[in-house]
Amino acid sequence: SMSSEQNELTQTPLLKIWVPWVHSTLSRRRGSSVPQFTNSPTVIVMVGLPARGKTYISKKLARYLNWIGVNTAVFNLGQYRREAVQTYKNYEFFRPDNEEAMKIRRNCASNALTDIGAYFTKEQGQVAVFDATNTTRERRGLILSFAKEKGYKVFFVESVCDDPDIIEQNIMQVKLSSPDYENCDKEEALEDFLKRIECYKMTYVPLDEEKDRHLSYIKIFNVGSRYLVNRVQDHIQSRIVYYLMNIHVTPRSIYLSRHGESDLNLLGRIGGDSGLSTRGQMYASALAAFVQSQSIRDLKVWTSHMKRTIQTAEALGVPYEQWKALNEIDAGMCEEMTYEEIQDHHPEEFALRDQDKYRYRYPKGESYEDMVHRLEPVIMELERQENVLVICHQAVMRCLLAYFLDKSADELPYLRCPLHTVLKLTPVAYGCKVESIFLNVQAVNTHREKPPNVDINRKTEDALQTVPEHV
Amino acid sequence: KDMPMETSPRELTQNPLRKIWMPYKNGLPEKHISQRKVCMTNCPTLIVMVGLPARGKTYISKKLTRYLNWIGVPTKEFNVGQYRRECLKIYKNFEFFRPDNEEGLKIRRQCALSALNDVRQYLCMEGGQVAVFDATNTTRERRDTITRFAEQNGFKVFFVESVCEDPDVIAENIVQVKLGSPDYIDCNTEEAVADFMKRIKCYENSYQPLDEGLDRELSYIKIMDVGRRYLVNRVLDHIQSRIVYYLMNIHITPRSIYLCRHGESDLNVRGRIGGDSGLTSRGKEYAKSLGHFIQEQNIKDLKVWTSQMKRTIQTAEALAVPYEQWKALNEIDAGVCEEMMYEEIQEHFPLEFALRDQDKYRYRYPKGESYEDLVQRLEPVIMELERQENVLVICHQAVMRCLLAYFLDKSAEELPYLKCPLHTVLKLTPVAYGCKVESIFLNVEAVNTHRDKPENVDISRPTEEALLTVPAHQ
């Protein structure tokens, strides 16, 4: 039925989203302001022998999906098994003729699926990654039935690798330090793990082009040199495939830094497009010296379109690429204001921002949430690249850092990214090593902590309590 | 290797048109280091289509070319069939393609080489970045020739193979695009189909598909059964990755895309640009009419998208169906000129106003955006439109121009002047190699917001000449 009444619209104060002004609480909002990636929960099912990178992919994929706003959790069957069987003796647990162990392992799988169901129904989960070998058709059939019954979509990610060097490298990097091998020496652990793999090999049935032609999956061969993609069903699966096809495991480092101290920084003003202060220029030179000293192979340098990052890059004397997507958060009506002025002219806005800094959108400006969306192509390209130095801005750097260090939306806007400090990120095992290098040129502090009082009726002193000093 | 170390950074100046900061020396801009262009590949790319006739190679070539040009990668397709038609003038029948037809083989080989020559010209001398070589390329021998050619010229090669055995799809293909080919101008449908089937047969015996083993060093995507399955091998760089992602998102299921603007807004009638105003009463009437129109069209599973600006949302609300708000669909940000009339822009920023007329596509408003920026931010919208089926997009003038330019393959020069009047729905339906457009005015009057390029775009032009083409307003 068509409503002839034209609803009045009102703009939500935090997100600045236009919604119908409804007097009745029963009325449902028609306009979704959140991208509709998929209409039902999705279970991503990892498939592959041990040491094929399943957990690496699971964790990385979950980190990416959470960062772009899709609630994702990893359910690692190995962890369930460790909880059920407190002490790991040796590979014999995984022998296909070990009835006792088989029972335990089946129970674990069942528990994990139950937890996945709970994650979807009670915790607003959207994607669950079931990280296990799932190497038999029988086990995969179990998962498919479970998903079908509940109305979940299933997408398989199979990792196939026959390169013994990669497998050994894998085992050295992540298996030897596993709780399973706490009390073993390297040789013992390696030998045992290889026997473990053999146990699975006997019953391994890879996804079959013919028999599994109705399933949705991606098969990754030899760490990405080849992919087979079958029946991508929806947007989120398409994004997952694109992401998996862009990541690599070649060792490299990503350097994140802000521009050198700017004139507006000194005045305690946000945003704008000012140039570097004298100390900022000194930082640029120091950065150049630092980059040289690191002897980085084929370093790419990226900046934003704003003067201060470009001035900083200019000092390096090397080619650089300008990305508009790396521009600082647009503070809209508050551009070039001090926090004191914002409190003076827009006290309610100032309070709302403290209440939910991630989602808060400046009037006629952006939110951190908006920035994550605009930075997604940057992240995708960073995944493709090897050694990169990104010269950007405080809010931008917080978003990028949150991606690499798996920080939540609540932590993200308060991550510390001080001026004149380079963060060197190096992927290691399942995460990222961070080295913080202060380049010894003093700069003003621009980090404002969340004040204790975030009430819109708070006093001015309370609002300005955590504003850093400035000229 | 010694890196030159600057003791103090070069002075920067902001290019007045694009508002890009660049270094300058002695008052002149220095040769500028790269501004992020999407293509970032260090050498030209040759995309080589592979597949039997009627497998969608030309469809894919044209679509891919259109997409790449829209995102700013100069791309051109080279269809060997066209070269053959120019050489041969008259097509008699399938016998030309018989593998034992020496004369025919010679001509076909010459045509391929001629096309490759033009490819070299385009990529080396005309500033092209991607060339799409559209031919069957079904033998390993032919592909080796092309690979050698590419190596000699420093081009990267990416193969796109389309494999399909579904007779219905092939038949549909033939009906849609082959029957209308110049080859079959004087034939009736039956004759044409019969001849074309024999033509396919001529290729079948010598067809060597890309092989997982033998061709494992090549970079390629194998598209199977119109996108049900893909095999992707050795993607080398950013552009190949983007191409793969695009090819994996397109489909051929029939559907229509409806584009329209929000209903007339308060700022529209006052001749002011940008802002976030609500609908006028005529705008609200339009929204109602749009609702009726949508109902009448009886569209299956229609998705409705709006921007996050009040006027598009108000319009969608009148449809009484669920809709999705996309920030990416917001109108172009006019920066310091937001909510101004053209008369005011001319008064306060005459230089800016002239620069915009000089190059409306690349011109960026101070603290705002350019059409070029818009295209970049709309790319995910286009990608999702490709994935979807029936969609109604309620957006804004500049945004609609960008989207329309993508579907109708309009150049960067034409794009900012495409006519997208208020209260008019454009229904786009993919057909053959392009897009059918139906323009439906919903019979509610509205102000005109289209400003044509004036004759005088000089920065020192008098005010009257600058304002010559400003549409009437309150």
Side-chain angles (χ1 to χ4, degrees):
Chain A
S1 72
M2 273 246 307
S3 165
S4 56
E5 154 205 286
Q6 212 95 71
N7 286 330
E8 277 302 305
L9 293 187
T10 182
Q11 195 175 43
T12 65
L14 185 82
L15 298 176
K16 310 296 188 293
I17 301 284
W18 288 103
V19 295
W21 174 244
V22 282
H23 302 271
S24 155
T25 48
L26 295 173
S27 189
R28 263 181 13 194
R29 191 149 74 81
R30 280 188 284 265
S32 158
S33 60
V34 174
Q36 304 289 283
F37 289 116
T38 178
N39 43 15
S40 45
T42 303
V43 183
I44 296 175
V45 182
M46 302 304 299
V47 180
L49 294 172
R52 262 60 175 177
K54 297 187 300 301
T55 301
Y56 175 81
I57 291 171
S58 301
K59 286 179 184 267
K60 211 169 154 70
L61 187 54
R63 177 161 59 86
Y64 167 70
L65 291 174
N66 278 311
W67 187 75
I68 62 172
V70 180
N71 292 339
T72 306
V74 178
F75 296 81
N76 176 283
L77 202 51
Q79 249 154 267
Y80 281 78
R81 188 259 306 155
R82 274 185 281 275
E83 273 171 38
V85 185
Q86 298 294 317
T87 320
Y88 173 75
K89 276 225 301 264
N90 59 30
Y91 79 96
E92 308 241 351
F93 181 84
F94 292 98
R95 286 176 54 157
D97 56 1
N98 186 339
E99 288 285 349
E100 171 101 20
M102 279 303 205
K103 223 165 68 170
I104 296 174
R105 289 159 73 192
R106 255 195 297 271
N107 269 343
C108 287
S110 190
N111 289 339
L113 288 179
T114 305
D115 286 353
I116 286 175
Y119 177 63
F120 288 148
T121 46
K122 298 189 194 132
E123 294 179 53
Q124 288 113 38
Q126 282 165 282
V127 174
V129 185
F130 189 43
D131 177 18
T133 50
N134 296 315
T135 39
T136 62
R137 182 156 278 118
E138 184 220 346
R139 170 58 57 82
R140 298 195 291 266
L142 189 82
I143 301 169
L144 284 164
S145 309
F146 163 82
K148 186 166 174 188
E149 188 195 311
K150 306 268 189 182
Y152 307 150
K153 286 184 178 165
V154 178
F155 188 74
F156 293 94
V157 177
E158 181 172 26
S159 175
V160 176
C161 182
D162 48 22
D163 182 334
D165 291 328
I166 296 179
I167 294 164
E168 184 167 318
Q169 171 73 240
N170 224 333
I171 298 176
M172 302 300 277
Q173 273 234 349
V174 296
K175 299 298 179 189
L176 302 189
S177 52
S178 149
D180 291 345
Y181 297 110
E182 237 167 13
N183 301 316
C184 303
D185 72 29
K186 285 208 180 121
E187 298 299 313
E188 286 176 347
L190 181 59
E191 202 188 308
D192 184 86
F193 201 84
L194 289 171
K195 290 204 188 103
R196 218 155 110 171
I197 298 178
E198 289 306 312
C199 294
Y200 281 93
K201 269 191 185 168
M202 296 183 246
T203 52
Y204 181 21
V205 180
L207 288 170
D208 184 83
E209 266 185 51
E210 197 30 55
K211 296 205 185 101
D212 296 313
R213 69 183 173 285
H214 295 295
L215 301 182
S216 296
Y217 65 83
I218 178 171
K219 223 191 235 272
I220 305 171
F221 296 90
N222 287 328
V223 205
S225 63
R226 193 158 87 247
Y227 305 91
L228 183 62
V229 180
N230 199 63
R231 287 189 188 270
V232 169
Q233 294 170 356
D234 60 16
H235 178 95
I236 193 67
Q237 291 181 16
S238 169
R239 292 284 286 275
I240 288 165
V241 164
Y242 185 44
Y243 182 70
L244 292 177
M245 285 179 24
N246 279 319
I247 61 181
H248 67 76
V249 293
T250 311
R252 51 80 172 254
S253 289
I254 293 169
Y255 299 78
L256 300 181
S257 153
R258 289 167 68 185
H259 51 82
E261 183 191 69
S262 75
D263 290 323
L264 285 180
N265 285 146
L266 280 174
L267 298 173
R269 294 185 174 280
I270 64 172
D273 195 13
S274 59
L276 301 180
S277 66
T278 314
R279 298 196 297 196
Q281 289 186 13
M282 274 167 64
Y283 171 71
S285 305
L287 184 62
F290 170 75
V291 166
Q292 259 215 335
S293 71
Q294 289 270 306
S295 283
I296 309 156
R297 193 174 84 91
D298 292 333
L299 179 71
K300 297 262 165 78
V301 179
W302 297 353
T303 69
S304 70
H305 275 197
M306 297 179 140
K307 188 175 185 182
R308 51 200 188 278
T309 57
I310 296 164
Q311 265 185 300
T312 309
E314 276 287 316
L316 306 181
V318 297
Y320 56 89
E321 267 182 60
Q322 296 186 17
W323 290 68
K324 188 169 195 278
L326 285 172
N327 277 5
E328 182 57 315
I329 189 171
D330 182 357
M333 280 169 40
C334 300
E335 276 285 317
E336 300 195 43
M337 285 182 152
T338 59
Y339 289 121
E340 291 86 347
E341 284 166 2
I342 299 175
Q343 169 61 19
D344 196 19
H345 296 118
H346 309 287
E348 185 177 311
E349 294 290 330
F350 201 42
L352 283 173
R353 185 156 208 255
D354 284 337
Q355 290 176 14
D356 190 344
K357 196 175 175 190
Y358 183 73
R359 283 164 207 83
Y360 170 81
R361 188 184 277 171
Y362 279 106
K364 302 192 178 178
E366 295 178 298
S367 61
Y368 272 93
E369 192 171 30
D370 293 329
M371 275 217 296
V372 161
H373 283 121
R374 94 161 136 84
L375 285 167
E376 202 262 352
V378 177
I379 286 295
M380 197 63 87
E381 189 57 18
L382 275 172
E383 285 294 346
R384 290 197 53 81
Q385 291 289 340
E386 291 183 21
N387 293 316
V388 186
L389 163 63
V390 183
I391 304 173
C392 54
H393 307 265
Q394 183 166 246
V396 172
M397 188 160 157
R398 284 170 171 155
C399 292
L400 298 179
L401 196 59
Y403 167 74
F404 288 109
L405 302 186
D406 202 17
K407 297 295 182 185
S408 69
D410 293 319
E411 299 169 283
L412 187 161
Y414 295 101
L415 294 175
R416 282 191 181 279
C417 297
L419 287 165
H420 299 188
T421 306
V422 179
L423 289 185
K424 177 178 177 180
L425 305 168
T426 311
V428 71
Y430 293 136
C432 224
K433 181 173 84 165
V434 196
E435 292 166 68
S436 173
I437 307 117
F438 173 60
L439 292 194
N440 227 356
V441 178
Q442 289 308 316
V444 71
N445 170 34
T446 59
H447 185 95
R448 179 176 164 267
E449 287 291 353
K450 180 171 175 168
N453 190 348
V454 300
D455 206 79
I456 52 175
N457 298 313
R458 64 191 174 174
K459 299 193 289 269
T460 296
E461 316 88 74
D462 285 346
L464 299 177
Q465 195 177 334
T466 55
V467 172
E469 280 185 25
H470 57 86
V471 165
Chain B
K1 186 169 162 207
D2 253 57
M3 264 199 332
M5 277 245 293
E6 309 269 325
T7 43
S8 63
R10 290 185 283 188
E11 282 300 307
L12 293 185
T13 183
Q14 195 176 41
N15 159 283
L17 182 81
R18 294 167 109 167
K19 312 298 187 292
I20 304 283
W21 287 101
M22 38 212 286
Y24 76 95
K25 208 174 183 171
N26 302 326
L28 288 172
E30 287 237 274
K31 191 162 84 89
H32 187 55
I33 304 161
S34 58
Q35 188 238 319
R36 175 73 193 176
K37 281 252 192 294
V38 90
C39 58
M40 276 311 128
T41 174
N42 37 19
C43 47
T45 301
L46 176 59
I47 296 176
V48 181
M49 302 304 299
V50 180
L52 293 172
R55 263 56 176 182
K57 296 185 301 300
T58 301
Y59 175 81
I60 291 169
S61 299
K62 286 182 183 274
K63 211 169 155 72
L64 189 54
T65 300
R66 176 161 59 87
Y67 168 70
L68 290 173
N69 277 312
W70 186 74
I71 61 172
V73 181
T75 305
K76 192 167 170 191
E77 27 135 11
F78 297 82
N79 178 287
V80 174
Q82 247 155 268
Y83 284 74
R84 188 256 308 156
R85 273 185 279 276
E86 262 152 57
C87 184
L88 207 50
K89 297 304 179 192
I90 306 191
Y91 172 76
K92 271 218 309 258
N93 60 31
F94 78 96
E95 309 242 355
F96 177 79
F97 291 97
R98 285 176 57 155
D100 55 0
N101 181 344
E102 288 288 344
E103 178 82 27
L105 283 172
K106 215 167 77 171
I107 294 176
R108 288 157 71 193
R109 198 178 162 71
Q110 262 168 18
C111 288
L113 291 177
S114 179
L116 285 181
N117 238 336
D118 288 353
V119 163
R120 184 201 348 252
Q121 171 90 358
Y122 176 66
L123 295 179
C124 295
M125 282 174 286
E126 292 174 30
Q129 255 170 314
V130 176
V132 184
F133 190 57
D134 178 17
T136 50
N137 298 315
T138 39
T139 62
R140 187 156 280 117
E141 186 221 344
R142 171 57 56 84
R143 296 195 292 268
D144 285 346
T145 305
I146 299 170
T147 307
R148 271 195 308 272
F149 160 83
E151 257 161 43
Q152 276 162 14
N153 289 287
F155 306 150
K156 281 184 180 166
V157 181
F158 189 73
F159 293 94
V160 177
E161 181 173 26
S162 174
V163 175
C164 179
E165 292 315 315
D166 184 338
D168 293 328
V169 173
I170 296 165
E172 177 66 37
N173 221 336
I174 297 177
V175 167
Q176 275 237 352
V177 295
K178 299 299 178 187
L179 301 187
S181 150
D183 291 345
Y184 295 111
I185 244 177
D186 299 315
C187 303
N188 71 34
T189 305
E190 266 100 54
E191 290 172 342
V193 173
D195 184 85
F196 200 82
M197 292 304 228
K198 292 200 193 108
R199 213 156 111 174
I200 298 178
K201 272 259 167 294
C202 295
Y203 284 91
E204 267 174 13
N205 286 337
S206 56
Y207 181 21
Q208 294 165 301
L210 288 170
D211 182 81
E212 270 182 48
L214 294 170
D215 296 311
R216 67 182 168 284
E217 296 299 320
L218 300 181
S219 296
Y220 65 85
I221 178 172
K222 205 192 255 268
I223 304 171
M224 294 168 271
D225 293 322
V226 204
R228 194 142 297 165
R229 193 156 88 243
Y230 305 92
L231 184 62
V232 180
N233 200 61
R234 292 196 186 274
V235 169
L236 292 179
D237 60 17
H238 178 94
I239 194 68
Q240 290 181 16
S241 170
R242 294 286 287 273
I243 288 166
V244 164
Y245 185 43
Y246 181 72
L247 293 177
M248 286 177 31
N249 279 319
I250 61 181
H251 67 77
I252 55 168
T253 310
R255 49 81 172 254
S256 288
I257 293 169
Y258 299 78
L259 300 181
C260 78
R261 290 166 67 187
H262 51 82
E264 183 191 68
S265 75
D266 290 322
L267 287 180
N268 283 148
V269 294
R270 290 156 61 199
R272 295 183 173 279
I273 65 173
D276 196 13
S277 58
L279 301 180
T280 61
S281 43
R282 295 197 301 195
K284 289 179 182 162
E285 231 188 286
Y286 167 72
K288 278 200 210 124
S289 301
L290 184 62
H292 290 301
F293 172 74
I294 293 302
Q295 266 212 332
E296 279 159 31
Q297 287 273 306
N298 223 357
I299 309 154
K300 185 172 94 89
D301 292 333
L302 179 72
K303 297 264 166 77
V304 179
W305 297 354
T306 69
S307 70
Q308 287 191 352
M309 295 180 141
K310 187 175 185 181
R311 49 200 189 278
T312 57
I313 296 164
Q314 257 184 305
T315 309
E317 275 289 319
L319 307 181
V321 296
Y323 57 90
E324 263 183 67
Q325 297 184 18
W326 289 68
K327 190 171 193 276
L329 284 171
N330 279 6
E331 182 56 316
I332 191 171
D333 183 355
V336 302
C337 299
E338 275 285 316
E339 300 197 41
M340 285 185 155
M341 298 185 293
Y342 290 121
E343 291 85 345
E344 287 168 354
I345 301 176
Q346 168 61 19
E347 194 188 321
H348 300 287
F349 308 107
L351 171 65
E352 295 292 329
F353 201 42
L355 285 174
R356 187 157 205 253
D357 284 337
Q358 288 178 15
D359 191 344
K360 196 176 177 189
Y361 183 73
R362 282 165 205 84
Y363 170 81
R364 186 184 280 171
Y365 280 106
K367 302 193 176 175
E369 296 177 300
S370 62
Y371 271 94
E372 192 171 30
D373 293 328
L374 257 197
V375 161
Q376 271 223 356
R377 94 159 136 85
L378 285 168
E379 201 261 349
V381 176
I382 286 295
M383 197 62 87
E384 190 56 20
L385 275 172
E386 285 294 347
R387 289 197 55 80
Q388 291 290 340
E389 292 183 20
N390 292 317
V391 187
L392 163 64
V393 184
I394 304 173
C395 55
H396 306 267
Q397 184 167 246
V399 171
M400 188 161 158
R401 284 169 171 157
C402 291
L403 299 178
L404 197 59
Y406 166 75
F407 288 109
L408 302 185
D409 202 17
K410 298 295 183 185
S411 69
E413 277 60 51
E414 299 170 283
L415 187 160
Y417 295 101
L418 293 175
K419 283 202 187 287
C420 295
L422 287 164
H423 298 188
T424 307
V425 180
L426 290 185
K427 178 179 177 179
L428 305 167
T429 311
V431 71
Y433 294 138
C435 225
K436 180 172 87 164
V437 196
E438 291 166 66
S439 172
I440 307 119
F441 172 60
L442 290 194
N443 227 355
V444 179
E445 290 306 311
V447 71
N448 171 32
T449 58
H450 185 96
R451 180 177 164 267
D452 269 314
K453 180 172 176 168
E455 280 189 31
N456 190 346
V457 300
D458 208 77
I459 55 176
S460 50
R461 62 191 173 174
T463 297
E464 317 88 69
E465 289 182 38
L467 299 176
L468 198 60
T469 56
V470 172
H473 59 87
Q474 277 172 16

